């Protein structure tokens, strides 16, 4: 059937997948591979959504988004980042993954290039290919705190460059860009007339320093497409709800694409999102603080494991240890880890060239299981 598959997908990368067979092969596997929050959505959000469903919010809604949710997004943005946005600058989406795909489908012509800083979220590649574009990876490195080098960014730009994706705090490394780094990227975007697609879904997972939205930097509001989601910030991965903030001219095109793909985001999920925004600080205090403790616990444990290296994460719920001392490539090491210690993690190579020689830990399980996983890793020292 290969002849029926579009050429751009005949050699597609596997991306992130869960090895369900391995989960059944051993009865004590500790799964640290998938970035799905392990907390059930807060009961206050569930109850509010249930109440609204019972009151009729089970139908198609405004394709642009529930007006109450758009207003809540506007108000939260104003309160959190001291920047006004209009209703015409907001589009509600069925997740930030869909939002990124809609954006790329809207802005790319065949062969256009998008700069992405590796290691990068694995789905970016397929999203860019789906839109007919080409991913151009600018590698970043552990010893530079995974911050992009200005010379490398400038060297990657060609006449076909259309945009750059800026993800901070960053999946998979847990790095976060400071204001100076963001301003450097903003200066390049303005100088080269590029759009910045700001993937900011871990907005509330910054543990060290201030979170600076790209669109709040001078001159960047009109050339930034901000993508956000309720999945991670509010433990709502299964609700599939997110939003885009961008110039009204861009939003109108994104909506056109959205109409063809989903028409409107789920009404019940949008009602849940309204409640989530109203208690966002309480959610961060109750849940996200626990991820901070887990991430730091993992980083401290790995610092004491002789065959691994670690950059201490500044955000997200990921850690990205290096394995160069083992002499293995990352896929071999991850298989070894599964067979010897019954720990499932993600090989770094799925996150771009810069991910080679690393693996990703998602701290999305209980502290007890994380403690056990770190003890199993420590016991493997004798093998190296």
């Amino acid at each position: 059937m290969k002849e029926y598959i579009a050429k751009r997908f005949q050699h597609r990368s596997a991306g992130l997948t869960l090895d369900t067979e391995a989960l059944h092969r051993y009865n004590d596997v500790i799964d640290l591979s998938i970035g799905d929050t392990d907390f059930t959505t807060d009961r206050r959000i569930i109850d509010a959504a249930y109440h609204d469903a019972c009151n009729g919010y089970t139908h198609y809604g405004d394709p642009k988004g529930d007006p109450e949710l758009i207003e809540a997004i506007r108000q939260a943005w104003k309160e959190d980042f001291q920047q006004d946005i209009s209703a015409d600058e907001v589009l509600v989406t069925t997740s930030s993954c869909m939002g990124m795909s809609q954006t790329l489908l809207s802005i790319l012509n065949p062969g256009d290039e998008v700069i992405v800083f590796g290691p990068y979220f694995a789905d970016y590649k397929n999203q860019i290919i789906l839109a007919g574009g080409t991913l151009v990876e600018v590698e970043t490195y552990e010893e530079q705190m995974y911050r992009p080098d200005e010379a490398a960014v400038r060297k990657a730009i060609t006449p076909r460059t259309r945009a750059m994706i800026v993800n901070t705090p960053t999946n998979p490394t847990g790095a976060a860009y400071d204001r100076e780094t963001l301003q450097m990227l903003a200066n390049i975007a303005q100088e080269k007339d590029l759009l910045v697609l700001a993937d900011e879904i871990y907005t509330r997972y910054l543990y060290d320093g201030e979170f600076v939205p790209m669109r709040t930097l001078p001159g960047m509001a009109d050339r930034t497409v901000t993508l956000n989601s309720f999945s991670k910030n509010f433990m709502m991965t299964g609700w599939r709800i997110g939003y885009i903030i961008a110039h009204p001219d861009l939003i109108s095109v994104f909506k056109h694409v959205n109409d063809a793909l989903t028409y409107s985001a789920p009404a019940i999920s949008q009602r849940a999102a309204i409640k989530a925004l109203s208690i966002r600080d309480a959610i961060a205090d109750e849940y996200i603080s626990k991820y901070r403790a887990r991430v730091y616990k993992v980083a401290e444990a790995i610092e004491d494991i002789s065959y691994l290296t670690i950059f201490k994460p500044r955000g997200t719920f990921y850690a990205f240890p290096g394995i160069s001392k083992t002499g293995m490539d990352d896929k071999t090491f991850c298989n070894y880890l599964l067979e010897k210690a019954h720990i499932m993690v993600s090989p770094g190579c799925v996150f771009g060239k810069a991910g080679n020689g690393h693996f990703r830990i998602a701290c999305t399980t209980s502290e007890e299981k994380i403690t056990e996983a770190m003890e199993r890793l420590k016991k493997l020292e004798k093998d190296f």
Side-chain angles (χ1 to χ4, degrees):
M1 299 297 290
K2 186 175 181 180
E3 65 271 20
Y4 294 105
I5 298 172
K7 291 181 180 179
R8 63 184 180 277
F9 289 122
Q10 289 184 3
H11 303 286
R12 65 193 184 280
S13 57
L16 283 173
T17 56
L18 179 62
D19 187 352
T20 54
E21 189 276 328
L23 289 175
H24 296 295
R25 191 159 68 243
Y26 306 110
N27 60 13
D28 63 342
V29 170
I30 300 176
D31 183 9
L32 304 176
S33 65
I34 298 298
D36 185 0
T37 58
D38 56 310
F39 296 113
T40 299
T41 303
D42 188 271
R43 184 61 184 263
R44 290 166 288 184
I45 297 172
I46 295 172
D47 287 348
Y50 173 75
H51 178 270
D52 284 348
C54 291
N55 282 282
Y57 284 92
T58 59
H59 304 278
Y60 289 132
D62 187 328
K64 194 172 179 297
D66 186 318
E68 289 184 54
L69 177 54
I70 290 175
E71 181 59 25
I73 291 167
R74 291 181 61 231
Q75 291 301 321
W77 191 269
K78 172 69 172 179
E79 292 170 9
D80 293 347
F81 305 120
Q82 294 75 56
Q83 184 183 54
D84 288 314
I85 55 174
S86 70
D88 291 339
E89 293 177 292
V90 181
L91 175 69
V92 178
T93 63
T94 52
S95 79
S96 62
C97 278
M98 181 64 79
M100 181 65 80
S101 292
Q102 291 170 355
T103 298
L104 292 165
L105 285 165
S106 299
I107 69 171
L108 296 183
N109 295 307
D112 282 349
E113 297 173 351
V114 180
I115 290 176
V116 176
F117 303 112
Y120 55 80
F121 174 53
D123 282 351
Y124 290 157
K125 184 173 184 179
N126 285 333
Q127 290 167 337
I128 291 169
I129 291 172
L130 176 65
T134 300
L135 182 148
V136 176
E137 180 178 355
V138 173
E139 297 183 34
T140 64
Y141 304 99
E142 182 178 329
E143 56 269 25
Q144 298 172 345
M145 302 176 68
Y146 292 110
R147 292 173 181 163
D149 174 72
E150 181 174 358
V153 178
R154 290 184 176 279
K155 184 178 180 180
I157 295 172
T158 75
R160 299 307 302 267
T161 306
R162 186 76 164 173
M164 65 173 77
I165 296 177
V166 177
N167 171 219
T168 183
T170 302
N171 176 7
T173 65
Y177 301 159
D178 57 16
R179 182 180 291 271
E180 182 181 2
T181 300
L182 291 171
Q183 188 62 62
M184 176 269 289
L185 296 174
N187 292 343
I188 292 174
Q190 292 179 66
E191 178 186 335
K192 300 296 185 179
D193 194 22
L194 305 178
L195 283 175
V196 173
L197 314 186
D199 183 351
E200 297 175 351
I201 73 166
Y202 296 96
T203 307
R204 303 184 75 84
Y205 286 82
L206 182 59
Y207 311 131
D208 177 17
E210 63 168 339
F211 180 77
V212 181
M214 178 62 79
R215 67 175 286 109
T216 64
L217 295 175
M220 289 303 296
D222 286 347
R223 67 171 63 250
T224 300
V225 177
T226 299
L227 299 115
N228 215 316
S229 167
F230 291 83
S231 290
K232 308 302 169 65
N233 288 332
F234 297 100
M235 326 302 135
M236 292 173 62
T237 54
W239 297 78
R240 310 317 293 141
I241 189 74
Y243 60 90
I244 303 173
I245 303 173
H247 188 281
D249 290 349
L250 292 172
I251 290 291
S252 67
V253 180
F254 300 162
K255 178 186 173 297
H256 178 72
V257 175
N258 184 66
D259 289 348
L261 296 176
T262 61
Y263 183 67
S264 64
I268 192 62
S269 297
Q270 295 192 65
R271 302 307 295 180
I274 294 169
K275 181 63 178 180
L277 284 173
S278 73
I279 58 172
R280 60 190 182 280
D281 291 335
I283 295 295
D285 289 343
E286 187 168 347
Y287 299 98
I288 297 177
S289 60
K290 292 181 174 64
Y291 285 120
R292 179 184 186 276
R294 293 179 189 178
V295 166
Y296 284 179
K297 182 184 184 71
V298 166
E300 290 170 4
I302 290 175
E303 285 176 346
D304 191 44
I305 296 175
S306 60
Y307 62 90
L308 298 176
T309 60
I310 185 68
F311 162 78
K312 185 177 181 180
R314 297 182 60 216
T316 74
F317 43 57
Y318 303 112
F320 203 58
I323 60 169
S324 59
K325 295 179 183 179
T326 69
M328 297 181 182
D329 63 67
D330 45 282
K331 282 190 175 181
T332 301
F333 179 81
C334 289
N335 288 331
Y336 162 84
L337 206 57
L338 180 59
E339 298 300 329
K340 291 281 288 188
H342 299 177
I343 299 171
M344 186 179 298
V345 293
S346 301
C349 60
V350 303
F351 305 103
K353 293 178 182 178
N356 288 323
H358 295 77
F359 65 98
R360 191 190 73 174
I361 294 173
C363 301
T364 50
T365 189
S366 68
E367 191 163 344
E368 292 74 20
K369 287 187 177 181
I370 288 173
T371 299
E372 172 64 22
M374 295 303 103
E375 290 174 354
R376 293 182 191 181
L377 285 174
K378 181 69 174 177
K379 289 177 181 178
L380 296 178
E381 280 188 319
K382 64 182 184 302
D383 293 352
F384 300 101

